[in-house]
Amino acid sequence: MSHMATGALPPISNQIRGQRTLAPQNNQPSSHRKQAKKMEINSQRFIREIPLFEDISDQQLFAISRDMVKRRFRQGECIFREGDPGEVLYILQSGQIRIYVHGETSGTETSVILFGHPGDIFGELAVVDGLPRSANAIAHTDAVVYTIDRLAFRQQMRNHPKLSLNFMRLLSSKIRTTTKQFNSMASMSVSSRLARLLLKLAQDYGQVVDEGVMIAMSLNQSDLASLIGATRESTNKALSIFRRKDLIAKKNGRLIIRDAQTLRELVTQS
């Protein structure tokens, strides 16, 4: 598993201990100290705003941030593979992450979920059981994540019960979403599954434009097929029908929802 860069967030005093200041006569902080302080402030500001750390005090957030490591991944870069040791929890800061599994018999990829919100967590089962990864994670776009070691995070949950409650709430929500997704794959047609996915993506990542609601994610036919558990051919056929009926459009590589009501009816009729 490769990665671009890492950056731990220890106290500033630890980061500069033993370093000489180039200009001691005016007692000005070095560029390294300024950069370290800016990194610490940015990391604490980021984690303060995400659901996992809701209602956690600034003092507690500072303690947690010291255990976090910042990492960058390029588009298409593997973050972890099925079977890898489950040693860290990931927290998305920017970009999009795709989680997928390989079919046991067909070998085809089925995307379990696509993350794109700052503060989304993934790889969380490692915190619970420490077993090897049960799926694959890849950077769908360039991405920045924070990681925290499983043992360190478990200790933080012991120290801060509110963090444990937040974590359980997020884990429960993800289990419900995944269960609903796989139930729909078993009982709904490809068109209905695609309509449901497009509505969900529009709700989560939609931006209102003149033509309708644009999904602010880069998704090709293979991505959509993987997310609904269908073949690329059947997904392409459903997309063509949606375009012909003016339910959706495409502009500058982005899908636009033109008729959300008709897409909802497709979902409810299935």
Side-chain angles (χ1 to χ4, degrees), residues 163-233:
L163 177 60
S164 299
L165 293 174
N166 290 346
F167 179 71
M168 288 189 291
R169 185 178 71 250
L170 291 174
L171 186 58
S172 174
S173 176
K174 290 184 68 173
I175 291 172
R176 290 179 185 275
T177 299
T178 303
T179 300
K180 185 180 295 185
Q181 178 181 353
F182 278 99
N183 284 342
S184 71
M185 288 184 183
S187 61
M188 300 172 69
S189 67
V190 171
S191 294
S192 297
R193 278 181 267 164
L194 181 59
R196 184 175 181 274
L197 173 66
L198 293 176
L199 290 170
K200 181 70 167 59
L201 292 173
Q203 178 182 338
D204 291 346
Y205 307 104
Q207 297 177 357
V208 177
V209 295
D210 291 340
E211 299 91 339
V213 178
M214 181 183 68
I215 299 173
M217 300 186 83
S218 178
L219 295 166
N220 58 36
Q221 293 172 0
S222 296
D223 295 330
L224 294 171
S226 179
L227 284 163
I228 63 174
T231 64
R232 188 177 182 277
E233 290 74 17

Side-chain angles (χ1 to χ4, degrees), residues 52-187:
L52 179 61
F53 301 111
E54 188 176 279
D55 297 327
I56 303 295
S57 71
D58 288 347
Q59 183 178 2
Q60 293 169 339
L61 286 175
F62 175 74
I64 293 169
S65 70
R66 294 172 64 184
D67 289 327
M68 296 172 63
V69 177
K70 191 173 187 177
R71 301 179 62 182
R72 301 177 186 274
F73 294 91
R74 289 180 176 173
Q75 181 179 11
E77 190 173 2
C78 178
I79 299 173
F80 58 76
R81 292 184 176 86
E82 185 176 355
D84 283 351
E87 298 174 344
V88 297
L89 170 72
Y90 294 84
I91 304 170
L92 180 66
Q93 183 180 38
S94 64
Q96 298 164 12
I97 306 296
R98 184 167 70 92
I99 309 295
Y100 66 94
V101 295
H102 289 288
E104 292 185 3
T105 56
S106 64
T108 58
E109 291 183 6
T110 298
S111 294
V112 178
I113 198 166
L114 194 64
F115 295 108
H117 287 302
D120 282 344
I121 64 173
F122 61 101
E124 68 282 351
L125 291 182
V127 175
V128 178
D129 56 23
L131 295 177
R133 300 293 183 187
S134 57
N136 307 274
I138 191 171
H140 191 65
T141 65
D142 289 350
V144 178
V145 302
Y146 283 94
T147 67
I148 182 168
D149 178 79
R150 177 176 68 92
L151 297 179
F153 188 73
R154 289 170 72 106
Q155 184 59 51
Q156 292 291 355
M157 288 196 292
R158 294 187 191 99
N159 296 339
H160 313 301
K162 179 59 180 176
L163 177 60
S164 299
L165 293 174
N166 290 346
F167 179 71
M168 288 189 291
R169 185 178 71 250
L170 291 174
L171 186 58
S172 174
S173 176
K174 290 184 68 173
I175 291 172
R176 290 179 185 275
T177 299
T178 303
T179 300
K180 185 180 295 185
Q181 178 181 353
F182 278 99
N183 284 342
S184 71
M185 288 184 183
S187 61

Side-chain angles (χ1 to χ4, degrees), residues 6-31:
T6 62
L9 304 175
I12 297 177
S13 59
N14 288 348
Q15 294 188 39
I16 63 173
R17 186 173 296 151
Q19 294 184 359
R20 293 184 178 180
T21 304
L22 296 180
Q25 66 277 10
N26 58 17
N27 200 30
Q28 289 297 315
S30 67
S31 59

